[in-house]
Amino acid sequence: MASDPTTIPEPAPAPAPAISDNVSALAERVSTPTKEAWILHSLKKRSTEFIHTHELNVLVGTWNVNGQAPGDTKELSSWLGFVPEDEDDMSLDVLPELVVLGFQELDARAEAFVYNNTAKDVEWTEAIEASMGVTRYSFCKIASKQLIGMFMMVYARLDVAKLVTGVQTASVGCGIMGVVGNKGAVAVRMTYRDTPVCFVCAHLAHDATQVDRRNAQFHDICKRMAFGSSGGHDAAAVDPLVPKTMELRGAGNSGAAGRGVGIFDHSYVVWLGDLNYRVAIDAEGSDYSAMLGVDQLHIAMLNKQAFAGFEEADIKFAPTYKYVLGTSEYDAKRRPAWCDRVLWWTRPGFQDDNDGGGVTCSEYTAVGALAVSDHKPVRARLGVGVWTVDADRRQAVYLDVLRELDRYENECIPTATLDAAVVDFGDVSFGRAVRRRLEVANSGQVPIEFSFTATPSRPGYAPAWLRITPSRGMILPGETNELELVVLVDERTSAPLSSRVEDLSDILILHLERGRDYFVQVQGNYLPSVFGMGLDVLVHCKQPVRGMSRQDFERCRASGQFSVPKCIWSLTDFLSQYAVGRGYSLFYWAGDRVLARRIKEWLDADVPLDPAAILQRQTPSDDHLARTAVDEPERIRIHNHAMQTGGVIDGIGAGTGSVRSAASADQSTLVPSAMQSVLGADAGRSPTPVAALERLSLGPWNSDSAVADQPVPSSGSTSDSGSDFGDPDSLLVSTTGGGSNEERLVGSPLPESIVNVALALPHDGGVDTVASCLVDLLRSLPEPLIPFSLYSACIEAGAISRAAALEALEDLAPENLNVLIYLLAFLRDAVEKGATSAQRVAQVFAKVVLRAPSERVSSDAKDRGDDEEEGGGDDDYKNAQLFLLYLLRSHGQI
């Protein structure tokens, strides 16, 4: 047989169809991504006019020959699988159109790493061509590539060879030191008809433990393998819909001019070779399903560690490695494995395409008769869906689409129809979102791109209290887009609206690209509220804010007289009478939303809070009245009995105490004996459970009621931690518990049994709602009680001492200081009388009395990688609590 293969020269590139200057101008006018997407969509609908699909029959074979000579040519013919035994039986229809054969360890000699010797590839080329027999004259070799022991040859059937263009080869070494070619890959790319295809023959790292290295070598090959510049006729035009005019503007998926073509710049990639992936268990008999279940390659593909997106036919043949040379017996020293594989990758969008895209495999097998190597050769018969593009017809369709779009744009000005020119939100209250819909319909004949734009008097596309979703978009002819407009007035936007300096109204500009502007008026009636109103206004108000005019607010500010806002006084006075005075807890429970809205309406209208409408209990708690009715031994007996029976204690006032089911229990409970041991120092006194909690976590409130185990500084001590509060830093304990229908105590450092007792403290839902309104009122101040300008100084002071905390308030405005002193007096009274604990006060009020400026919140959130949250970072919150605790125990010193 002839050793020099026949080479078919490439046909000269066909000249690209000429495009008139007028059409070039049209193409430039539609060069936006949105319009190009519409053009490609239109081309796809008409693709059958210029795209014709075919199936390319490819034989792919791979064999690690272990440096051996070819051997008998008849045995090699069995590997090819298409050579007829009788010349008279040859039929061109059964022959593959492409034959791709890859070899590994073609030359296993050490000197092969240094010298580029082609003797082996010539020897194997002659042997393969000889094994083709009579079919040899039906093929011509179109490419071959060798890298030390790796070698790949590609043959095309003579009748289709002229359809193969743009043939290029490349190689990558990634063996010793990451560059030597004992491991790596060789590759051949081509364009068959109008479909770019790439074949890669690889030899990856050996040894069962080197799976990570094999994965890394795969990625290294994919990254470094590059063919020559793809410009001109040989460009890897992956998308047959993309005309050359769009390719030149970058709309195609091929490599840019001057950039090498990579492996995945093709429609199909066929990857063959000794990939050296092993298995984790031994074979038993002829059932290899268990071995395939732990095949390293399958695992890597499943976990997307390597060969992600590749496919492989079902393996129904014995492992191809490792055999004793010259036999079909496995080497007992090695675990059998499927090292030799054939995989393929299809560009997304072409798999199982209705027009004939994708890859099918009709045969995937190993040839056991060949025994010259410790590997068995593998072959696969693939059907690859390729296409022929009628470039002239595609160009004509493309120009039709361009002209159609241009006609739309020239003859039809983008127009829209809005279902309303005025969007009225009605009455708007602080903190409550109001939603409206606005329909925008494309009443023209071309797609419209719309967006809301800024005005000279407003930098954003909408006022700060309004959000529009979506604020920009595209609408096709005849379609309608529904926009959602949401008004939400919060503490960031409420100040000018609350004092009627501004109205809840604005003009929005809806702009159409290359079209006209539409004006939409948005309006609403904001109901002034003490919630969201600035403290500088509240301290001067002497009448209901709901009925005040802008002039009324101006006169209030000009009066020069200020006092504690009546809304704050109303809430604290109510809580003092009906919570602190009646033994109910504060700031542990969430309030009722419906009742909260009613209370807020009363505050806005300056209507006194109605206890009959608010309180759920009209009398003080039984526990509050009877805590001293049972002596210590009786308390211990009742408590121990309750713990044994799972009930809670009732009937304290009767003197004997009884146990009732927790399911029907009231919120009242008895102080457990665990707390009584702490309270033993208070002769003749019976503090509340909250006081007990306070002492266990904080130390005593007053120096005359010290806890037995609490160290008390000497009289000459000047420590800021003092005996009356203990160390404030000890308060900051992480949250425990949770998960029940009722909110758990936050931050309690106490044992679970004592926390459960605290959870059973008497509370009233109405009182809880009023307490929630107080917190909400302080949170809603546009400028917090301690202004933003003092935030950093106060946070730093919280980490230092009480003296530093007091010093940080020296610059506080008189009206703010007056309100702060009043609030602290109320909170201290609530703590001393057992309605809450200093720890809980610090946790709740640290984020409302002190709020971080927006720039500090953004910076802290960015550092943490979190969404923005009120109050800065965790350290800021901790220091804010300490700061508030210092203020609580500085009564009379501010």
Side-chain angles (χ1 to χ4, degrees):
M1 299 295 177
S3 59
D4 293 328
T6 304
T7 301
I8 302 298
E10 294 184 12
I19 304 178
S20 67
D21 293 339
N22 184 41
V23 174
S24 297
L26 291 179
E28 290 301 323
R29 290 178 58 179
V30 297
S31 60
T32 66
T34 302
K35 293 177 182 177
E36 286 181 349
W38 184 83
I39 291 171
L40 290 177
H41 177 71
S42 300
L43 288 174
K44 185 172 184 179
K45 290 194 296 185
R46 299 180 59 180
S47 61
T48 55
E49 298 181 32
F50 54 85
I51 295 179
H52 307 284
T53 58
H54 315 268
E55 183 176 80
L56 171 65
N57 193 316
V58 184
L59 171 72
V60 180
T62 179
W63 192 9
N64 183 323
V65 298
N66 195 28
Q68 305 299 315
D72 184 78
T73 58
K74 187 174 182 180
E75 291 183 347
L76 289 177
S77 298
S78 65
W79 176 32
L80 300 179
F82 59 80
V83 179
E85 296 183 1
D86 191 336
E87 295 183 2
D88 295 334
D89 295 334
M90 193 192 83
S91 172
L92 193 65
D93 295 337
V94 300
L95 299 182
E97 294 167 286
L98 287 182
V99 177
V100 181
L101 301 177
F103 299 87
Q104 304 83 43
E105 296 188 20
L106 198 69
D107 192 344
R109 298 173 302 164
E111 56 266 29
F113 289 17
V114 181
Y115 302 105
N116 187 18
N117 192 326
T118 62
K120 283 286 187 178
D121 69 322
V122 171
E123 179 183 11
W124 275 92
T125 298
E126 291 178 347
I128 290 297
E129 291 180 355
S131 69
M132 290 183 178
V134 67
T135 65
R136 168 65 187 90
Y137 301 104
S138 300
F139 292 93
C140 64
K141 189 169 77 170
I142 59 174
S144 64
K145 183 65 176 179
Q146 180 186 10
L147 177 64
I148 303 183
M150 287 170 285
F151 178 58
M152 181 164 58
M153 59 178 72
V154 181
Y155 290 84
R157 210 170 64 193
L158 289 177
D159 60 319
V160 299
K162 61 181 181 296
L163 302 175
V164 179
T165 58
V167 178
Q168 293 177 295
T169 61
S171 63
V172 168
C174 55
I176 301 173
M177 299 179 66
V179 294
V180 179
N182 63 313
K183 294 293 187 290
V186 293
V188 176
R189 71 162 299 270
M190 67 186 68
T191 299
Y192 184 86
R193 296 182 183 267
D194 290 305
T195 308
V197 183
C198 180
F199 297 95
V200 181
C201 173
H203 190 194
L204 304 183
H206 66 283
D207 194 87
T209 63
Q210 296 295 315
V211 60
D212 290 337
R213 188 177 178 189
R214 286 188 282 274
N215 294 341
Q217 287 177 344
F218 163 77
H219 292 290
D220 190 33
I221 292 169
C222 294
K223 180 179 180 180
R224 294 169 52 201
M225 185 76 74
F227 302 92
S229 178
S230 64
H233 179 72
D234 295 333
V238 174
D239 194 340
L241 297 175
V242 179
K244 279 191 177 299
T245 307
M246 295 184 72
E247 286 179 14
L248 296 177
R249 297 200 315 278
N253 294 318
S254 63
R259 179 180 73 81
V261 177
I263 290 176
F264 296 103
D265 287 329
H266 299 81
S267 296
Y268 301 103
V269 176
V270 179
W271 198 296
L272 57 139
D274 178 7
L275 306 186
N276 256 324
Y277 286 92
R278 311 301 173 87
V279 294
I281 63 174
D282 294 320
E284 298 181 1
S286 59
D287 182 9
Y288 303 115
S289 58
M291 294 176 63
L292 288 170
V294 289
D295 174 62
Q296 291 177 345
L297 178 56
H298 284 168
I299 294 173
M301 294 169 68
L302 182 64
N303 295 329
K304 301 186 184 303
Q305 297 167 324
F307 295 96
F310 278 78
E311 299 177 72
E312 182 182 24
D314 293 338
I315 296 178
K316 299 180 180 179
F317 50 88
T320 59
Y321 176 83
K322 177 182 183 181
Y323 290 86
V324 178
L325 291 179
T327 73
S328 292
E329 299 293 331
Y330 289 111
D331 187 338
K333 297 179 181 180
R334 296 292 181 93
R335 179 177 294 133
W338 289 273
C339 292
D340 310 279
R341 314 289 274 269
V342 176
L343 312 172
W344 65 86
W345 173 87
T346 306
R347 174 167 290 278
F350 293 100
Q351 301 98 323
D352 300 325
D353 192 273
N354 293 331
D355 295 328
V359 176
T360 60
C361 182
S362 59
E363 182 186 29
Y364 190 32
T365 186
V367 181
L370 290 170
V372 298
S373 170
D374 56 355
H375 289 252
K376 297 298 183 182
V378 171
R379 73 166 179 262
R381 201 70 178 262
L382 305 180
V384 181
V386 297
W387 52 84
T388 300
V389 178
D390 185 336
D392 291 340
R393 182 58 188 157
R394 179 179 63 185
Q395 194 69 12
V397 173
Y398 172 57
L399 296 182
D400 282 348
V401 172
L402 283 182
R403 292 189 185 102
E404 181 182 9
L405 181 57
D406 188 63
R407 184 171 61 253
Y408 283 147
E409 294 187 336
N410 287 335
E411 297 178 359
C412 305
I413 299 175
T415 58
T417 301
L418 281 62
D419 67 341
V422 178
V423 179
D424 194 333
F425 292 90
D427 290 340
V428 177
S429 302
F430 177 85
R432 297 187 65 184
V434 180
R435 290 173 169 80
R436 295 290 185 269
R437 303 287 181 178
L438 176 66
E439 288 190 355
V440 181
N442 186 343
S443 55
Q445 302 180 41
V446 295
I448 61 172
E449 298 177 65
F450 71 88
S451 62
F452 287 91
T453 62
T455 66
S457 61
R458 186 189 64 234
Y461 70 84
W465 40 262
L466 177 65
R467 186 183 72 245
I468 306 173
T469 307
S471 61
R472 60 177 59 245
M474 180 175 176
I475 307 176
L476 296 178
E479 294 186 356
T480 299
N481 200 341
E482 188 176 75
L483 312 183
E484 182 182 58
L485 284 68
V486 182
V487 165
L488 176 62
V489 179
D490 56 18
E491 64 273 9
R492 295 170 296 179
T493 58
S494 62
L497 296 170
S498 296
S499 55
R500 300 193 185 276
V501 174
E502 295 180 4
D503 295 327
L504 195 71
S505 64
D506 207 324
I507 301 294
L508 305 178
I509 301 177
L510 179 65
H511 174 70
L512 300 187
E513 190 69 25
R514 299 181 62 197
R516 57 166 289 195
D517 291 338
Y518 295 83
F519 299 93
V520 181
Q521 181 177 351
V522 290
Q523 62 186 30
N525 176 35
Y526 180 67
L527 303 176
S529 173
V530 295
F531 292 84
M533 187 167 292
L535 188 64
D536 59 328
V537 178
L538 290 175
V539 295
H540 296 98
C541 285
K542 305 298 183 183
Q543 62 188 93
V545 297
R546 182 59 57 83
M548 293 177 63
S549 65
R550 178 174 180 176
Q551 291 74 20
D552 293 333
F553 285 111
E554 292 174 353
R555 283 192 291 270
C556 279
R557 288 195 183 96
S559 68
Q561 300 177 353
F562 64 85
S563 61
V564 174
K566 189 172 181 181
C567 52
I568 295 179
W569 176 86
S570 298
L571 294 171
T572 55
D573 181 66
F574 185 95
L575 295 175
S576 294
Q577 291 186 58
Y578 299 103
V580 178
R582 294 193 175 194
Y584 295 125
S585 64
L586 286 178
F587 310 121
Y588 289 105
W589 313 95
D592 180 82
R593 293 183 179 180
V594 176
L595 178 58
R597 294 196 194 105
R598 192 174 179 187
I599 293 173
K600 292 176 181 179
E601 288 291 333
W602 289 341
L603 295 174
D604 292 338
D606 198 15
V607 174
L609 302 186
D610 183 5
I614 295 176
L615 297 177
Q616 296 178 4
R617 306 181 182 189
Q618 300 301 321
T619 60
S621 68
D622 295 337
D623 182 64
H624 176 65
L625 299 176
R627 283 185 184 131
T628 59
V630 184
D631 59 13
E632 179 66 11
E634 183 68 6
R635 289 176 187 271
I636 295 175
R637 184 191 67 77
I638 297 174
H639 170 263
N640 291 339
H641 183 56
M643 295 299 103
Q644 295 171 5
T645 59
V648 296
I649 300 164
D650 195 11
I652 299 173
T656 58
S658 61
V659 178
R660 55 193 171 87
S661 168
S664 61
D666 194 2
Q667 297 294 339
S668 303
T669 186
L670 184 66
V671 182
S673 58
M675 289 185 181
Q676 292 299 326
S677 62
V678 178
L679 304 177
D682 294 332
R685 298 176 61 187
S686 181
T688 65
V690 171
L693 290 173
E694 184 65 45
R695 295 182 179 198
L696 286 173
S697 60
L698 296 178
W701 276 88
N702 301 302
S703 57
D704 61 345
S705 57
V707 177
D709 297 330
Q710 179 73 22
V712 180
S714 63
S715 60
S717 173
T718 58
S719 170
D720 275 335
S721 27
S723 63
D724 56 340
F725 277 81
D727 180 11
D729 197 38
S730 67
L731 307 177
L732 306 176
V733 184
S734 61
T735 303
T736 62
S740 64
N741 292 332
E742 293 186 300
E743 186 181 42
R744 295 294 303 237
L745 280 173
V746 178
S748 175
L750 302 176
E752 184 69 20
S753 60
I754 300 180
V755 171
N756 290 337
V757 173
L759 287 173
L761 288 173
H763 74 97
D764 183 281
V767 167
D768 297 330
T769 304
V770 176
S772 298
C773 288
L774 176 61
V775 176
D776 289 344
L777 178 60
L778 295 172
R779 184 187 290 114
S780 71
L781 295 174
E783 181 91 359
L785 186 55
I786 298 179
F788 293 128
S789 59
L790 299 182
Y791 178 82
S792 296
C794 294
I795 292 300
E796 292 172 4
I800 301 174
S801 67
R802 178 173 59 177
L806 295 176
E807 184 179 353
L809 295 179
E810 289 183 355
D811 295 329
L812 191 62
E815 54 266 35
N816 292 62
L817 183 60
N818 188 43
V819 177
L820 179 61
I821 292 174
Y822 176 83
L823 178 66
L824 291 173
F826 161 72
L827 295 175
R828 183 179 180 86
D829 183 64
V831 170
E832 290 179 340
K833 294 182 178 178
T836 187
S837 71
Q839 179 179 1
R840 187 58 176 170
V841 167
Q843 290 169 337
V844 171
F845 285 88
K847 284 190 176 182
V848 296
V849 174
L850 273 173
R851 291 207 309 270
S854 57
E855 59 271 13
R856 180 152 180 161
V857 175
S858 301
S859 175
D860 290 346
K862 182 177 180 181
D863 292 341
R864 299 191 306 271
D866 300 334
D867 294 333
E868 294 183 10
E869 292 184 1
E870 181 184 60
D874 293 338
D875 289 341
D876 279 8
Y877 182 42
K878 174 181 177 180
N879 292 336
Q881 293 182 66
L882 290 171
F883 177 81
L884 198 60
L885 288 169
Y886 287 138
L887 297 185
L888 277 174
R889 69 187 188 89
S890 301
H891 186 60
Q893 300 178 20
I894 301 179

